[in-house]
PDB file of all heavy atoms in Angstrom:
ATOM      1  N   VAL A  44    -186.086-129.227-131.614  1.00 42.00           N
ATOM      2  CA  VAL A  44    -185.984-129.085-133.061  1.00 42.00           C
ATOM      3  C   VAL A  44    -186.064-127.608-133.361  1.00 42.00           C
ATOM      4  O   VAL A  44    -186.897-126.912-132.780  1.00 42.00           O
ATOM      5  CB  VAL A  44    -187.125-129.846-133.779  1.00 42.00           C
ATOM      6  CG1 VAL A  44    -187.036-129.640-135.281  1.00 42.00           C
ATOM      7  CG2 VAL A  44    -187.044-131.334-133.463  1.00 42.00           C
ATOM      8  N   VAL A  48    -188.727-125.062-138.813  1.00 47.00           N
ATOM      9  CA  VAL A  48    -188.208-126.100-139.696  1.00 47.00           C
ATOM     10  C   VAL A  48    -189.043-127.351-139.500  1.00 47.00           C
ATOM     11  O   VAL A  48    -189.278-127.756-138.363  1.00 47.00           O
ATOM     12  CB  VAL A  48    -186.720-126.403-139.401  1.00 47.00           C
ATOM     13  CG1 VAL A  48    -186.204-127.500-140.313  1.00 47.00           C
ATOM     14  CG2 VAL A  48    -185.893-125.143-139.556  1.00 47.00           C
ATOM     15  N   PRO A  49    -189.561-127.982-140.584  1.00 48.00           N
ATOM     16  CA  PRO A  49    -190.380-129.170-140.425  1.00 48.00           C
ATOM     17  C   PRO A  49    -189.649-130.263-139.657  1.00 48.00           C
ATOM     18  O   PRO A  49    -188.443-130.440-139.793  1.00 48.00           O
ATOM     19  CB  PRO A  49    -190.662-129.594-141.876  1.00 48.00           C
ATOM     20  CG  PRO A  49    -190.484-128.347-142.676  1.00 48.00           C
ATOM     21  CD  PRO A  49    -189.415-127.564-141.975  1.00 48.00           C
ATOM     22  N   ASP A  50    -190.397-130.976-138.838  1.00 48.00           N
ATOM     23  CA  ASP A  50    -189.830-132.047-138.030  1.00 48.00           C
ATOM     24  C   ASP A  50    -189.506-133.231-138.930  1.00 48.00           C
ATOM     25  O   ASP A  50    -190.387-133.949-139.390  1.00 48.00           O
ATOM     26  CB  ASP A  50    -190.827-132.467-136.951  1.00 48.00           C
ATOM     27  CG  ASP A  50    -190.183-133.371-135.915  1.00 48.00           C
ATOM     28  OD1 ASP A  50    -189.046-133.795-136.162  1.00 48.00           O
ATOM     29  OD2 ASP A  50    -190.818-133.646-134.886  1.00 48.00           O
ATOM     30  N   ARG A  51    -188.250-133.445-139.198  1.00 43.00           N
ATOM     31  CA  ARG A  51    -187.846-134.486-140.137  1.00 43.00           C
ATOM     32  C   ARG A  51    -187.998-135.888-139.564  1.00 43.00           C
ATOM     33  O   ARG A  51    -187.800-136.856-140.277  1.00 43.00           O
ATOM     34  CB  ARG A  51    -186.391-134.271-140.558  1.00 43.00           C
ATOM     35  CG  ARG A  51    -186.183-132.961-141.315  1.00 43.00           C
ATOM     36  CD  ARG A  51    -186.898-132.976-142.656  1.00 43.00           C
ATOM     37  NE  ARG A  51    -186.762-131.706-143.350  1.00 43.00           N
ATOM     38  CZ  ARG A  51    -187.215-131.467-144.575  1.00 43.00           C
ATOM     39  NH1 ARG A  51    -187.871-132.416-145.207  1.00 43.00           N
ATOM     40  NH2 ARG A  51    -187.070-130.297-145.133  1.00 43.00           N
ATOM     41  N   ARG A  53    -190.599-137.321-138.989  1.00 47.00           N
ATOM     42  CA  ARG A  53    -191.732-138.006-139.580  1.00 47.00           C
ATOM     43  C   ARG A  53    -191.334-138.813-140.810  1.00 47.00           C
ATOM     44  O   ARG A  53    -192.106-139.628-141.292  1.00 47.00           O
ATOM     45  CB  ARG A  53    -192.829-137.010-139.954  1.00 47.00           C
ATOM     46  CG  ARG A  53    -192.450-136.045-141.052  1.00 47.00           C
ATOM     47  CD  ARG A  53    -193.595-135.061-141.269  1.00 47.00           C
ATOM     48  NE  ARG A  53    -193.322-134.154-142.351  1.00 47.00           N
ATOM     49  CZ  ARG A  53    -193.544-134.426-143.623  1.00 47.00           C
ATOM     50  NH1 ARG A  53    -194.007-135.610-143.963  1.00 47.00           N
ATOM     51  NH2 ARG A  53    -193.291-133.542-144.560  1.00 47.00           N
ATOM     52  N   ARG A  61    -196.367-141.522-132.465  1.00 84.00           N
ATOM     53  CA  ARG A  61    -197.477-140.868-133.152  1.00 84.00           C
ATOM     54  C   ARG A  61    -197.693-141.404-134.556  1.00 84.00           C
ATOM     55  O   ARG A  61    -198.676-141.060-135.218  1.00 84.00           O
ATOM     56  CB  ARG A  61    -197.236-139.354-133.208  1.00 84.00           C
ATOM     57  CG  ARG A  61    -197.325-138.662-131.863  1.00 84.00           C
ATOM     58  CD  ARG A  61    -196.919-137.220-131.948  1.00 84.00           C
ATOM     59  NE  ARG A  61    -195.511-137.060-132.310  1.00 84.00           N
ATOM     60  CZ  ARG A  61    -194.891-135.895-132.390  1.00 84.00           C
ATOM     61  NH1 ARG A  61    -195.561-134.777-132.138  1.00 84.00           N
ATOM     62  NH2 ARG A  61    -193.613-135.829-132.711  1.00 84.00           N
ATOM     63  N   PRO A 122    -196.263-129.662-146.838  1.00 95.00           N
ATOM     64  CA  PRO A 122    -197.400-128.805-147.208  1.00 95.00           C
ATOM     65  C   PRO A 122    -197.043-127.372-147.529  1.00 95.00           C
ATOM     66  O   PRO A 122    -197.879-126.630-148.031  1.00 95.00           O
ATOM     67  CB  PRO A 122    -198.299-128.873-145.964  1.00 95.00           C
ATOM     68  CG  PRO A 122    -197.356-129.148-144.840  1.00 95.00           C
ATOM     69  CD  PRO A 122    -196.275-130.022-145.403  1.00 95.00           C
ATOM     70  N   HIS A 177    -199.856-122.386-137.332  1.00 94.00           N
ATOM     71  CA  HIS A 177    -198.722-123.141-136.787  1.00 94.00           C
ATOM     72  C   HIS A 177    -199.197-124.505-136.308  1.00 94.00           C
ATOM     73  O   HIS A 177    -200.187-124.615-135.587  1.00 94.00           O
ATOM     74  CB  HIS A 177    -198.064-122.384-135.635  1.00 94.00           C
ATOM     75  CG  HIS A 177    -196.837-123.059-135.106  1.00 94.00           C
ATOM     76  ND1 HIS A 177    -195.574-122.843-135.648  1.00 94.00           N
ATOM     77  CD2 HIS A 177    -196.667-123.951-134.092  1.00 94.00           C
ATOM     78  CE1 HIS A 177    -194.688-123.561-134.994  1.00 94.00           C
ATOM     79  NE2 HIS A 177    -195.323-124.250-134.047  1.00 94.00           N
ATOM     80  N   CYS A 178    -198.494-125.550-136.709  1.00 94.00           N
ATOM     81  CA  CYS A 178    -198.782-126.915-136.264  1.00 94.00           C
ATOM     82  C   CYS A 178    -197.754-127.291-135.204  1.00 94.00           C
ATOM     83  O   CYS A 178    -196.546-127.310-135.486  1.00 94.00           O
ATOM     84  CB  CYS A 178    -198.739-127.891-137.435  1.00 94.00           C
ATOM     85  SG  CYS A 178    -199.005-129.618-136.941  1.00 94.00           S
ATOM     86  N   ARG A 179    -198.230-127.606-134.009  1.00 91.00           N
ATOM     87  CA  ARG A 179    -197.317-127.962-132.935  1.00 91.00           C
ATOM     88  C   ARG A 179    -196.790-129.379-133.062  1.00 91.00           C
ATOM     89  O   ARG A 179    -195.827-129.731-132.385  1.00 91.00           O
ATOM     90  CB  ARG A 179    -198.017-127.785-131.586  1.00 91.00           C
ATOM     91  CG  ARG A 179    -198.389-126.342-131.295  1.00 91.00           C
ATOM     92  CD  ARG A 179    -198.867-126.163-129.881  1.00 91.00           C
ATOM     93  NE  ARG A 179    -199.193-124.759-129.601  1.00 91.00           N
ATOM     94  CZ  ARG A 179    -199.567-124.317-128.412  1.00 91.00           C
ATOM     95  NH1 ARG A 179    -199.679-125.157-127.391  1.00 91.00           N
ATOM     96  NH2 ARG A 179    -199.842-123.033-128.231  1.00 91.00           N
ATOM     97  N   VAL A 180    -197.417-130.192-133.898  1.00 91.00           N
ATOM     98  CA  VAL A 180    -196.918-131.554-134.129  1.00 91.00           C
ATOM     99  C   VAL A 180    -195.752-131.512-135.113  1.00 91.00           C
ATOM    100  O   VAL A 180    -194.693-132.084-134.863  1.00 91.00           O
ATOM    101  CB  VAL A 180    -198.041-132.471-134.635  1.00 91.00           C
ATOM    102  CG1 VAL A 180    -197.520-133.878-134.882  1.00 91.00           C
ATOM    103  CG2 VAL A 180    -199.192-132.512-133.628  1.00 91.00           C
ATOM    104  N   CYS A 181    -195.950-130.833-136.243  1.00 90.00           N
ATOM    105  CA  CYS A 181    -194.877-130.694-137.238  1.00 90.00           C
ATOM    106  C   CYS A 181    -193.885-129.597-136.881  1.00 90.00           C
ATOM    107  O   CYS A 181    -192.831-129.492-137.509  1.00 90.00           O
ATOM    108  CB  CYS A 181    -195.482-130.411-138.616  1.00 90.00           C
ATOM    109  SG  CYS A 181    -196.540-131.732-139.243  1.00 90.00           S
ATOM    110  N   ARG A 182    -194.236-128.733-135.909  1.00 90.00           N
ATOM    111  CA  ARG A 182    -193.357-127.669-135.428  1.00 90.00           C
ATOM    112  C   ARG A 182    -192.964-126.690-136.519  1.00 90.00           C
ATOM    113  O   ARG A 182    -191.797-126.323-136.675  1.00 90.00           O
ATOM    114  CB  ARG A 182    -192.110-128.259-134.770  1.00 90.00           C
ATOM    115  CG  ARG A 182    -192.420-129.197-133.621  1.00 90.00           C
ATOM    116  CD  ARG A 182    -191.172-129.571-132.859  1.00 90.00           C
ATOM    117  NE  ARG A 182    -191.490-130.462-131.741  1.00 90.00           N
ATOM    118  CZ  ARG A 182    -190.624-130.817-130.818  1.00 90.00           C
ATOM    119  NH1 ARG A 182    -189.385-130.371-130.876  1.00 90.00           N
ATOM    120  NH2 ARG A 182    -190.981-131.616-129.837  1.00 90.00           N
ATOM    121  N   THR A 183    -193.959-126.272-137.284  1.00 92.00           N
ATOM    122  CA  THR A 183    -193.727-125.275-138.318  1.00 92.00           C
ATOM    123  C   THR A 183    -195.056-124.658-138.706  1.00 92.00           C
ATOM    124  O   THR A 183    -196.119-125.239-138.453  1.00 92.00           O
ATOM    125  CB  THR A 183    -193.054-125.893-139.557  1.00 92.00           C
ATOM    126  OG1 THR A 183    -192.746-124.864-140.493  1.00 92.00           O
ATOM    127  CG2 THR A 183    -193.961-126.912-140.216  1.00 92.00           C
ATOM    128  N   CYS A 184    -195.015-123.469-139.304  1.00 95.00           N
ATOM    129  CA  CYS A 184    -196.211-122.836-139.835  1.00 95.00           C
ATOM    130  C   CYS A 184    -196.518-123.423-141.210  1.00 95.00           C
ATOM    131  O   CYS A 184    -195.611-123.563-142.055  1.00 95.00           O
ATOM    132  CB  CYS A 184    -196.019-121.329-139.940  1.00 95.00           C
ATOM    133  SG  CYS A 184    -196.120-120.483-138.349  1.00 95.00           S
ATOM    134  N   VAL A 185    -197.763-123.764-141.443  1.00 96.00           N
ATOM    135  CA  VAL A 185    -198.187-124.446-142.663  1.00 96.00           C
ATOM    136  C   VAL A 185    -199.017-123.489-143.500  1.00 96.00           C
ATOM    137  O   VAL A 185    -199.963-122.870-142.998  1.00 96.00           O
ATOM    138  CB  VAL A 185    -198.996-125.708-142.332  1.00 96.00           C
ATOM    139  CG1 VAL A 185    -199.477-126.392-143.604  1.00 96.00           C
ATOM    140  CG2 VAL A 185    -198.160-126.668-141.502  1.00 96.00           C
ATOM    141  N   HIS A 191    -204.110-131.110-139.363  1.00 96.00           N
ATOM    142  CA  HIS A 191    -203.063-132.108-139.211  1.00 96.00           C
ATOM    143  C   HIS A 191    -203.715-133.486-139.190  1.00 96.00           C
ATOM    144  O   HIS A 191    -204.564-133.769-138.347  1.00 96.00           O
ATOM    145  CB  HIS A 191    -202.256-131.901-137.929  1.00 96.00           C
ATOM    146  CG  HIS A 191    -201.177-132.928-137.735  1.00 96.00           C
ATOM    147  ND1 HIS A 191    -199.915-132.794-138.289  1.00 96.00           N
ATOM    148  CD2 HIS A 191    -201.180-134.121-137.079  1.00 96.00           C
ATOM    149  CE1 HIS A 191    -199.186-133.850-137.970  1.00 96.00           C
ATOM    150  NE2 HIS A 191    -199.933-134.666-137.249  1.00 96.00           N
ATOM    151  N   TYR A 196    -199.651-138.815-140.871  1.00 93.00           N
ATOM    152  CA  TYR A 196    -198.585-138.216-140.064  1.00 93.00           C
ATOM    153  C   TYR A 196    -197.995-136.995-140.764  1.00 93.00           C
ATOM    154  O   TYR A 196    -196.787-136.828-140.885  1.00 93.00           O
ATOM    155  CB  TYR A 196    -197.498-139.258-139.762  1.00 93.00           C
ATOM    156  CG  TYR A 196    -196.542-138.859-138.660  1.00 93.00           C
ATOM    157  CD1 TYR A 196    -196.906-137.956-137.681  1.00 93.00           C
ATOM    158  CD2 TYR A 196    -195.263-139.399-138.599  1.00 93.00           C
ATOM    159  CE1 TYR A 196    -196.044-137.594-136.666  1.00 93.00           C
ATOM    160  CE2 TYR A 196    -194.382-139.048-137.587  1.00 93.00           C
ATOM    161  CZ  TYR A 196    -194.785-138.147-136.635  1.00 93.00           C
ATOM    162  OH  TYR A 196    -193.925-137.785-135.620  1.00 93.00           O
ATOM    163  N   ASN A 197    -198.876-136.120-141.219  1.00 94.00           N
ATOM    164  CA  ASN A 197    -198.440-134.929-141.931  1.00 94.00           C
ATOM    165  C   ASN A 197    -199.573-133.918-141.896  1.00 94.00           C
ATOM    166  O   ASN A 197    -200.738-134.271-141.691  1.00 94.00           O
ATOM    167  CB  ASN A 197    -198.080-135.268-143.383  1.00 94.00           C
ATOM    168  CG  ASN A 197    -197.321-134.145-144.065  1.00 94.00           C
ATOM    169  OD1 ASN A 197    -196.893-133.189-143.428  1.00 94.00           O
ATOM    170  ND2 ASN A 197    -197.159-134.252-145.373  1.00 94.00           N
ATOM    171  N   CYS A 198    -199.231-132.668-142.088  1.00 96.00           N
ATOM    172  CA  CYS A 198    -200.241-131.634-142.214  1.00 96.00           C
ATOM    173  C   CYS A 198    -200.764-131.593-143.644  1.00 96.00           C
ATOM    174  O   CYS A 198    -200.019-131.838-144.604  1.00 96.00           O
ATOM    175  CB  CYS A 198    -199.662-130.269-141.835  1.00 96.00           C
ATOM    176  SG  CYS A 198    -199.609-129.963-140.060  1.00 96.00           S
TER     177      CYS A 198
END
Side-chain angles (χ1 to χ4, degrees):
V44 178
V48 179
D50 192 350
R51 296 294 177 176
R53 66 183 183 84
R61 291 173 295 183
H177 184 87
C178 177
R179 296 189 179 184
V180 180
C181 298
R182 303 190 179 188
T183 185
C184 284
V185 178
H191 179 86
Y196 195 25
N197 193 10
C198 279

